[in-house]
Amino acid sequence: MPAQPAGIVCGRFDVAESYAMDARFERALVVALCERPRLFERIGQDLDPTMLVERVHQLILEAARSVAKEVGRGPSDCLVVVQRIRRAVESGRVNGEDYEAAVQALLDPPELTDEELLAEALPLVRRKLEADIARAALDEFSQRGDYRSVEKLLRKRSTLGVSSSLLGTRLSRTTLDEIGRMQHLDKLPTGVMDLDLGLSGGLVRGALGVYMAPSGHGKSMFLVHQSASALRSGLTVCYATLELPEEEITARIIANLTNTPTNIVKDPAMEPEVGAAFDRVQGLGLFVTKKFPPGSTTPLQVIDWVEELEQSEGAVCDLLVVDYAEKMISHRKQDQDDSNKSSEVIHETLRLHVETRKRWGWTAAQVQRRKGQDRKRKIEGEDVAGFIGKVNVADLVVSGHLDDTGELVEVFVAKNRYGKQFFGLGPYPTGYDCGRFVTC
């Protein structure tokens, strides 16, 4: 049987496999949390004792958290924690052997700086929180809840590792410059100029966008165009394809970047010319694509792939593209017979992932072709409203529609959680032969 990836495995959380720390590092961490209140404020309350392998380290952390709960801050001396454990011995909740082991563990520990400890511990705590968020979201969805528990975990995730004394922005003249800078950094352009203007810059960081169109109306081409635009900005793009082969996606990306017809890119005889044109493109980010089997791939498998890539490449994924999520299945077997529920779980899992990891996310979905004269009408809000699993979850929904010649495309912003919506643009000439959604 092939080895299962670490993390969420068959609906359970494998703590030992996902979060195991070296025993010496654990010791250095828990001792530091017992005598550095500022460090405790940044991670102490979010570090689950069950993430630690050694029982004695769990006991020390539980005692430190108990102290913090009573006095409102982490302990400043290990002696306070020793006394707290001693009280537990007297009440019969801890045995004398565990007490002696805790005292010994607190003597002469390895010394590491706060930043060294946080650099190793925070990614593990963050991974645990993200799994908790995904579980909470699925539980709320199955119970038709109000997602308050999810919101609470998301807020905790956003401040993980940050001291409360460091939170906040001082109002000054420089604040305006900072706001402008963040507005630029937090929007990912689609590469379609008029659309980006209408969206005030593009897709918001941490948001999920869905491009909806009938079959053959440029869904994959839109995603390729978006990916190429991100690459030109020096970003790292992870492209999961469930429809087209990896070679086709790569050829379209190269065609887009070099403005070369895709058939030329695929021609072995033209490799020197295409290679030279590609070499002239400067400042590109990292692009990785992988083919996943449709109908059997879950969103968690794609997320695991992205995280493994980050570890192996040493680069953070900026943009996750799934071409397209509609071809995946829910990782919850009970949802797989209900297409709407399954779709909502799939898209919500992707959205929570990009939100918690502060990536941008794009996918696509298919709508039915119209018949007769109605087919010429652009796809508007009421046309996509029936796709509740996608539209309700997505932060941005853009629809596209080709004219009868297939050479002009219109787009319509059917939903935008963060700005202007219900407006159309185009028609624009397509650039499909060169891997481009539009030529302008």
Side-chain angles (χ1 to χ4, degrees), residues 281-356:
V281 183
Q282 301 294 316
L284 292 179
L286 174 66
F287 178 80
V288 183
T289 183
K290 180 178 179 180
K291 181 72 164 66
F292 289 85
S296 61
T297 299
T298 70
L300 293 183
Q301 289 174 318
V302 172
I303 291 170
D304 284 343
W305 168 66
V306 172
E307 294 182 347
E308 289 170 8
L309 271 177
E310 289 183 320
Q311 294 178 6
S312 63
E313 297 291 339
V316 175
C317 172
D318 299 297
L319 170 62
L320 171 59
V321 177
V322 180
D323 186 6
Y324 44 93
E326 200 173 61
K327 291 184 175 289
M328 293 196 291
I329 62 169
S330 171
H331 46 281
R332 292 162 50 100
K333 290 186 178 180
Q334 63 267 38
D335 301 331
Q336 293 176 7
D337 292 332
D338 185 335
S339 59
N340 281 333
K341 188 174 183 180
S342 178
S343 177
E344 186 162 356
V345 170
I346 290 167
H347 287 78
E348 180 65 10
T349 302
L350 290 175
R351 191 193 67 79
L352 283 171
H353 174 71
V354 298
E355 181 176 29
T356 56

Side-chain angles (χ1 to χ4, degrees), residues 108-247:
D108 300 321
E111 290 192 9
L112 298 174
T113 67
D114 287 5
E115 294 308 319
E116 288 171 333
L117 292 168
L118 290 169
E120 296 301 322
L122 277 177
L124 302 179
V125 178
R126 185 176 294 114
R127 185 178 176 90
K128 171 70 163 59
L129 265 177
E130 288 167 358
D132 290 345
I133 290 168
R135 264 203 305 268
L138 294 175
D139 289 343
E140 292 284 357
F141 173 74
S142 64
Q143 298 172 18
R144 301 296 180 186
D146 57 10
Y147 289 88
R148 290 182 182 177
S149 62
V150 178
E151 292 175 2
K152 182 178 179 180
L153 288 170
L154 286 172
R155 285 194 297 270
K156 180 185 289 188
R157 168 64 174 76
S158 67
T159 58
L160 181 62
V162 180
S163 170
S164 61
S165 61
L166 299 178
L167 295 175
T169 300
R170 185 182 300 275
L171 184 62
S172 67
R173 288 290 299 272
T174 59
T175 307
L176 293 175
D177 294 334
E178 183 68 10
I179 290 172
R181 185 181 69 84
M182 293 306 297
Q183 283 285 75
H184 172 70
L185 291 177
D186 285 349
K187 294 290 184 71
L188 179 67
T190 63
V192 180
M193 185 178 298
D194 287 351
L195 180 57
D196 292 331
L197 288 173
L199 296 174
S200 300
L203 181 68
V204 173
R205 182 187 289 275
L208 176 67
V210 178
Y211 180 76
M212 306 186 75
S215 177
H217 282 231
K219 293 185 296 298
S220 293
M221 201 61 71
F222 180 90
L223 297 178
V224 164
H225 194 95
Q226 169 68 87
S227 300
S229 176
L231 287 172
R232 288 191 182 91
S233 297
L235 302 177
T236 297
V237 179
C238 296
Y239 196 116
T241 172
L242 290 94
E243 187 170 44
L244 298 173
E246 296 171 14
E247 295 78 10

Side-chain angles (χ1 to χ4, degrees), residues 358-373:
K358 300 303 179 187
R359 316 187 197 281
W360 291 281
W362 269 107
T363 186
Q366 184 167 310
V367 297
Q368 296 297 318
R369 283 180 176 270
R370 298 187 182 90
K371 297 180 180 180
Q373 293 181 349

Side-chain angles (χ1 to χ4, degrees), residues 409-425:
V409 62
E410 293 182 77
V411 295
F412 182 81
V413 177
K415 177 183 178 181
N416 184 7
R417 199 186 302 274
Y418 300 105
K420 181 182 176 183
Q421 58 185 354
F422 305 130
F423 65 93
L425 297 166

